[in-house]
Every structure is written in structure tokens, then in C-alpha cells.
Amino acid sequence: MNVVRSAMTSTAAHPVLAEVVRSGFVEGVHRGSLVVLAADGSVEFACGDPDAVVFPRSSVKPLQAAAVLGCGAELDGELLALAAASHSGETFHLAGVRAILATVGLDEGALRTPAELPLDPVEAEARLRAGGGPDRITMNCSGKHAAMLAACVAAGWPTEGYLDPEHPVQQAVLDEARRATGDPVEYGGTDGCGAPLLRMSLTGLARAFRSCVVAAPESPRRRVADAMRAHPALVAGTRRIDTWLMEGVPGALAKVGAEAVQAVALTDGRALAFKIDDGAARAVGPVLAATLRRLGLTEPVLDRIADSPLFGGGARVGGVRATLPDTVS
């Protein structure tokens, strides 16, 4: 199999964005790349290689949701927020997915997500204790898939094969991503949920998030951003960083992606995107909080987001701490 290597695979030149500290000893580091845009869209600061091509994974879900609106899907409020979600599999998430499907006369049998347990470990354990198991609807991307199916019905396209990169709904997503990022975005793989996987730069991802919050009211991107910010628990879950951030920082738009990608836009048009090279989710919160503090944010929720503890013998013995470079390009 041919392997395409981006600059992200040459991590030696990338700065250390977080340290793993156990019992006062730095036992590991997490390198990565980061970009922050000023309110006018120019690069305010960056480190690593923010123009390298990455898989943004689920951080592009706001763009996918905007695309389905453009295809005619009739979604709003909580259901539109769920269309852009990597949900935790809580009861209200599953009810919302079923509601999206019901708007176009479908049920969960139409989903082509892989059967998985809920993303949230508390919800996964509760499901197992109740005698349940992996299911298509409990997979964290089922809201996005339901929205894509709703778009297919609205546009008169076949629902079979809706995950094919050449399907009209996926071509609409590709077009939306190119417009929002300003990048020559292409499909370059398959995401964990089975959907085609976009490739773009971190800078392009930050531009896309900025475009969502500065877009004209009632435009598809702005409608998605407004729905996500109004219903943050639908976007993630009650025990998730994206939810906490959007609840605790008025006007913030946040979406994490697998393999430690994070994108955020603030109401004034500033935006950021970063990727932890080794995909360690434990570094995301500390790096996110430190970056937002560098931007001048002081909300108490940043302490909660930054907290990434390490345990030994059942007691806390350290944690992951951000180490953003003092000087960046």
C-alpha cells in the first residue's frame, strides 16, 4: 500500500506543546503544530508546520453540516447541532438522531456507521450493564450520518451509497470545505465512521472555523455555528471539553477531531487549530487552555479544560502540562 507522508510525520522539528510530568519528573513530551488567526483572518502566531496537510477528522463536522443544509436538509436548533456532533451516546443524543431520521421517513437501519459503544466511557459502561452492546446509532458520528441521509432525501438523491466520495452529498461537502478553508482540499482516506476523509492544512481549518462565526446570519455556516453554540451538549456531551468550552466562553465555537486535532473560533473572529503529532488526546485540553489564555481569555472553565491528571496507586501524582513556545513565527 502506498503511504503519503506529510510534514506531520517528521516531528523532530515540531515544538513540544505539552509535557507529561509524573512525580515531578518529565517522562514524556507531546510535539505538534499550532496556528492562531487574528480577528481579521491574518496569522497572529504559529509554531510547528501549520501549513502541512493533515486529516482534520471530526473537527470538520461543522462544514459537513453546512453542506447538508445547502443540499436542502431541514434541520435547526438541537438537531442541527447534533448534525455537527461527535456525541457521547447519551439518551438525548440517540433521541435526536432518531428525530433527524424521522423527519425524512427513515429509521436507524439506514445508518451506515459501524456498530460501536458510546464514545463516553460512562455511557458505554451503563449500556453494557443494561445488557446492550455496540450499535450503529451509538457510534459518535451517527448524527452526522443521519443529517447526510436527510440531505439525500431532500435533494432526491439515493440514500444507498451515501458514503461514496463520488456521491452528490459528499461532493457537496468537498465543495463546502474548499470554499471555507481556501485550501485545495481533496478526499484522501476513510474516517472511522466510514465517511470520506478530507485533507487540509491546520491554517485552512482555522480559516474555516473563523468563516463560520463571521458568516452572514442565516447562511448555512452561521446557522451551524449558532446551533452548536446554543446547544453545546448536543455537539459533544455532558463530560466533554467542547461542551465545557462553549458553555463557559460566550460565543466560542469548538470541535475536536480524532488523533488530537482541535479547532476553535471566538465571537470576534479570532480562531485557532492545532494537531498533536502523536494523537494523544490527553494533551488537547492543556494545549487548548494555554492557547486561549495566550489570547487573553480568563474564564474559569479554562482551569477545568487544562486539567489532565496522571495517577499512581489510585492517587494523583502528576499531569500533562502545556509548554507552548515563548516565541513563535
Side-chain angles (χ1 to χ4, degrees):
M1 181 178 70
N2 291 330
V3 177
V4 177
R5 296 188 182 277
S6 75
M8 284 290 168
T9 61
S10 300
T11 61
H14 293 172
V16 174
L17 299 185
E19 293 178 335
V20 182
V21 183
R22 180 179 295 274
S23 302
F25 179 78
V26 178
E27 67 171 348
V29 298
H30 298 295
R31 297 179 181 272
S33 295
L34 164 72
V35 64
V36 173
L37 303 183
D40 64 1
S42 62
V43 175
E44 183 168 325
F45 64 84
C47 61
D49 190 357
D51 293 324
V53 172
V54 301
F55 285 145
R57 305 296 295 272
S58 285
S59 58
V60 297
K61 283 180 177 173
L63 305 184
Q64 292 168 318
V68 303
L69 289 180
C71 295
E74 296 183 3
L75 299 172
D76 210 348
E78 293 183 348
L79 299 188
L80 181 52
L82 188 57
S86 297
H87 66 71
S88 291
E90 296 173 69
T91 301
F92 59 91
H93 294 127
L94 307 187
V97 175
R98 294 186 178 102
I100 292 173
L101 292 168
T103 64
V104 291
L106 299 175
D107 60 28
E108 59 196 85
L111 296 170
R112 288 298 173 263
T113 44
E116 292 186 4
L117 286 169
L119 188 63
D120 186 288
V122 174
E123 297 300 324
E125 182 178 356
R127 185 172 180 85
L128 291 171
R129 287 184 180 276
D135 203 338
R136 292 184 185 276
I137 196 170
T138 52
M139 197 273 169
N140 75 88
C141 298
S142 62
K144 175 185 77 176
H145 282 242
M148 288 178 174
L149 286 164
C152 291
V153 174
W157 299 327
T159 56
E160 289 296 325
Y162 74 94
L163 295 180
D164 189 312
E166 298 302 321
H167 190 285
V169 74
Q170 302 303 339
Q171 287 296 299
V173 168
L174 184 60
D175 290 342
E176 179 68 15
R178 287 170 174 166
R179 290 192 297 267
T181 64
D183 276 0
V185 178
E186 298 291 347
Y187 284 127
T190 305
D191 212 339
C193 67
L197 193 54
L198 296 162
R199 296 194 304 197
M200 63 184 64
S201 69
L202 287 173
T203 303
L205 179 60
R207 284 195 297 260
F209 265 65
R210 179 182 180 276
S211 77
C212 289
V213 300
V214 302
E218 298 306 313
S219 64
R221 277 180 232 159
R222 180 64 175 274
R223 285 180 58 196
V224 172
D226 289 348
M228 292 173 68
R229 293 181 289 186
H231 306 284
L234 272 295
V235 177
T238 55
R239 291 172 287 272
R240 302 274 298 286
I241 285 176
D242 282 341
T243 297
W244 301 341
L245 179 62
M246 288 189 282
E247 289 177 342
V249 178
L253 176 70
K255 187 69 192 71
V256 73
E259 297 299 323
V261 178
Q262 179 75 55
V264 174
L266 302 177
T267 188
D268 62 3
R270 290 180 292 171
L272 67 92
F274 65 82
K275 165 83 171 78
I276 305 300
D277 288 338
D278 62 5
R282 65 183 179 179
V284 169
V287 173
L288 175 58
T291 305
L292 292 172
R293 285 180 174 132
R294 180 167 289 191
L295 289 173
L297 275 65
T298 59
E299 283 81 354
V301 72
L302 297 183
D303 291 334
R304 185 182 192 187
I305 290 170
D307 191 35
S308 183
L310 297 177
F311 295 92
R316 181 168 183 154
V317 297
V320 180
R321 67 185 182 194
T323 56
L324 299 186
D326 291 332
T327 58
V328 291
S329 59

